[in-house]
Amino acid sequence: MLKVTAVMGATGAVGTIIRELLEERHFPTQEIKFLASKRSAGTVLKYAGKDVVVEEATPEAFEGVDLVISSTPDEIAAEIVPEAVKHGCIVVDESAYFRMKEDVPLVIPEVNPDDVMKHKGIIASPNCSTTQMVQALQPLHAAGKLTHVNVCTYQATSGAGVGGNRDLMGASKAFLEGKEYQNEVFPHPIAFNVIPQIGSQKYRDTYPGYTSEEVKMIVETWKMLGDNTIKINPTCVRVPVANCHSEVISVETEKKITVAEAIELWKNTPGLVVMDDLDNGIYPMPCNCSGSNDTFIGRIREDVSRPNGLVFWCVSDNLRKGAATNAVQIAELLYQKIFS
Amino acid sequence: MLKVTAVMGATGAVGTIIRELLEERHFPTQEIKFLASKRSAGTVLKYAGKDVVVEEATPEAFEGVDLVISSTPDEIAAEIVPEAVKHGCIVVDESAYFRMKEDVPLVIPEVNPDDVMKHKGIIASPNCSTTQMVQALQPLHAAGKLTHVNVCTYQATSGAGVGGNRDLMGASKAFLEGKEYQNEVFPHPIAFNVIPQIGSQKYRDTYPGYTSEEVKMIVETWKMLGDNTIKINPTCVRVPVANCHSEVISVETEKKITVAEAIELWKNTPGLVVMDDLDNGIYPMPCNCSGSNDTFIGRIREDVSRPNGLVFWCVSDNLRKGAATNAVQIAELLYQKIFS
């Protein structure tokens, strides 16, 4: 039985959706705790009809907590998550900080649910742009063994936090009124512009010219699919869209998979929705996928340029399946396997 | 000597830039004529300090004209361009209608200038998203023979004509004010959204699942590079950017080309500008390339996923080098080769 569940970073963009999802899905915990930075402590939030006062995330706040769902920047996670583990909590962590550590499972419940039990206190939830791609790749890999993946992303500003969306809307409004706008988070104008950089070149030694977001899409995919022989070439681009990441994914498989077979595989995979009728202008887009917990696939075709190639378009709500939904699903999995 | 040069479609988005460029570059013609649809006839436009009255583009209007630069929708071009040729004009045509005809050269002056002299009255200017890509590909192909190209586009609304930009700005303003907006040209919302379809599935027999814009990027590239053995896989996406198309291009060559070699090749190619310093956030974007006649390349790196692979990001003003500038450069080439 789960006595106390805590949401760490409860007032953030992802934390807000985590709270909604836990309530909506009647997450089986006797008590809920909302933790945040000192700045947000004292805020009163509703949960299942009751008022919950946000507490400051001090190490002592984890006393008596069974499970933590944590969504904070990497540098905060690096400090606070081990504190929670020390206090006996199991932590589902949204940050990138622990994802590639050997004793930390990186989990998408529809992809590698069994990995969850290998945890030593921390289970990491993957990068948003990686999650939706791996959901689409996994059934293809199981059926035909992936050899190569090329991916170009069209990433929403909500991926950069609430400041990202303030920049998009503020800058767009200013542009239309002929005014100047000072960005909070983006290094370049975001209104009516695209920025071909997400993250820094911090892995320049092994991946020269690639950004950290792009490297995440390689190494996290390998870890979750348990296969680092798949060749992956990502390019990550920020677009002036508030919410939902879109991706063009070209794959090659050892065994040929036809379009019809791929559609069948995806239709039979929980969490995936095929939306594909080009003649009638039907395909996923941010405008028709935002707010959903599923990942959507369209524009499915054989790659004319590769013998065993498929190309498709994949859209998912980056705050939901790309973050909050996946973390809550991991928490539900932990409940089933440990606490129920 | 060029006596009379006519701009057909002179009042359109591309026609406007053609007029500006001809004036700016002192195009050597004794007389200029502006032609348009009946609706725009009578409009008075300035050219080199003089008033020019727009005439209706009847067949008779081409009487005595030496050279026509024509920018109209395909269905208008299909009718009016042959009329102009019948009247003895040489026509530089922006439309897609004649591009793939065997006796019509398809020309980018920096790429295949000699093809211009193979004309039988019509010289076609390529599709905007193709032009910038082929500019970047040509030096690589010459140096190392391209075997494969994967391209994902981030295309501006100005590519859909002036109505495209009205939709983007109108819909964005309406969105920010919480109002509804009825699109003029796009089949889906364009404000804060991306649309993974440009064109129709009209080539479904040979390219099932690909749109006409994507097929143009294959066949026009083959025609201009004179090599249809290059495997090409394009995906074309409309983004909420007013002007400038951006592209992620992954290539493979028979002979390995290093990043340093590619940069050297591009730096020595007229019309190309390398803008590449990821650590300092320097790369081309719509916001810093709009209004230029050049094509810009950045994010250049070895493709970690392919032995002889390179990946890069390419941005160009789709109304300029992607349309007006290229057509005017073809006209200048014709002047040098025929009329001077």
Side-chain angles (χ1 to χ4, degrees), chain B residues 310-333:
Chain B
L310 280 175
V311 202
F312 55 96
W313 170 253
C314 175
V315 182
S316 190
D317 187 323
N318 54 299
L319 294 184
R320 288 184 172 264
K321 186 58 189 174
T325 305
N326 198 65
V328 169
Q329 288 172 328
I330 295 172
E332 289 172 341
L333 201 57

Side-chain angles (χ1 to χ4, degrees), chain A residues 287-307:
Chain A
C287 72
N288 59 18
C289 295
S290 190
S292 170
N293 294 310
D294 289 323
T295 287
F296 296 81
I297 303 177
R299 291 294 323 269
I300 306 156
R301 57 204 194 272
E302 283 198 31
D303 182 342
V304 282
S305 74
R306 302 276 187 197

Side-chain angles (χ1 to χ4, degrees), chain A residues 43-225:
Chain A
T43 311
V44 180
L45 298 170
K46 284 275 173 208
Y47 186 84
K50 288 182 201 153
D51 285 344
V52 181
V53 181
V54 175
E55 295 173 45
E56 188 187 341
T58 58
E60 298 70 42
F62 296 106
E63 201 58 58
V65 173
D66 302 301
L67 178 67
V68 181
I69 307 177
S70 182
S71 176
T72 70
D74 293 0
E75 59 280 14
I76 309 281
E79 280 187 28
I80 205 84
V81 169
E83 284 298 337
V85 174
K86 258 190 235 163
H87 282 79
C89 308
I90 298 180
V91 184
V92 179
D93 184 41
E94 287 280 9
S95 86
Y97 191 81
F98 300 96
R99 285 183 197 145
M100 295 309 295
K101 308 256 184 236
E102 216 167 307
D103 56 355
V104 174
L106 181 65
V107 175
I108 301 172
E110 297 94 335
V111 170
N112 57 337
D114 296 339
D115 285 352
V116 91
M117 291 312 290
K118 297 176 189 158
H119 80 86
K120 304 241 158 66
I122 307 172
I123 298 107
S125 187
N127 171 259
C128 45
S129 46
T130 310
T131 302
Q132 66 187 78
M133 177 173 81
V134 170
Q135 282 187 280
L137 294 183
Q138 192 271 334
L140 302 180
H141 191 49
K145 195 175 178 338
L146 288 169
T147 54
H148 192 273
V149 178
N150 193 93
V151 55
C152 296
T153 71
Y154 300 67
Q155 291 184 235
T157 53
S158 64
V162 287
N165 278 6
R166 274 196 299 264
D167 275 353
L168 176 61
M169 295 304 160
S172 300
K173 188 166 179 288
F175 183 94
L176 291 167
E177 293 169 353
K179 292 180 187 158
E180 293 284 309
Y181 179 84
Q182 193 63 47
N183 274 348
E184 254 180 77
V185 299
F186 294 116
H188 300 289
I190 185 64
F192 310 110
N193 192 37
V194 294
I195 305 173
Q197 178 181 9
I198 302 179
S200 70
Q201 216 184 157
K202 72 191 255 199
Y203 303 104
R204 76 180 69 235
D205 293 342
T206 30
Y207 296 94
Y210 285 82
T211 65
S212 45
E213 181 82 358
E214 290 157 358
V215 174
K216 286 175 192 172
M217 292 191 79
I218 300 173
V219 297
E220 293 185 15
T221 300
W222 285 346
K223 182 164 178 172
M224 286 185 284
L225 294 182

Side-chain angles (χ1 to χ4, degrees), chain A residues 148 197 235 283 301 305-306, chain B residues 148 197 235 283 301 305:
Chain A
H148 192 273
Q197 178 181 9
T235 304
Y283 27 71
R301 57 204 194 272
S305 74
R306 302 276 187 197
Chain B
H148 193 273
Q197 178 180 10
T235 303
Y283 27 71
R301 58 205 193 271
S305 73

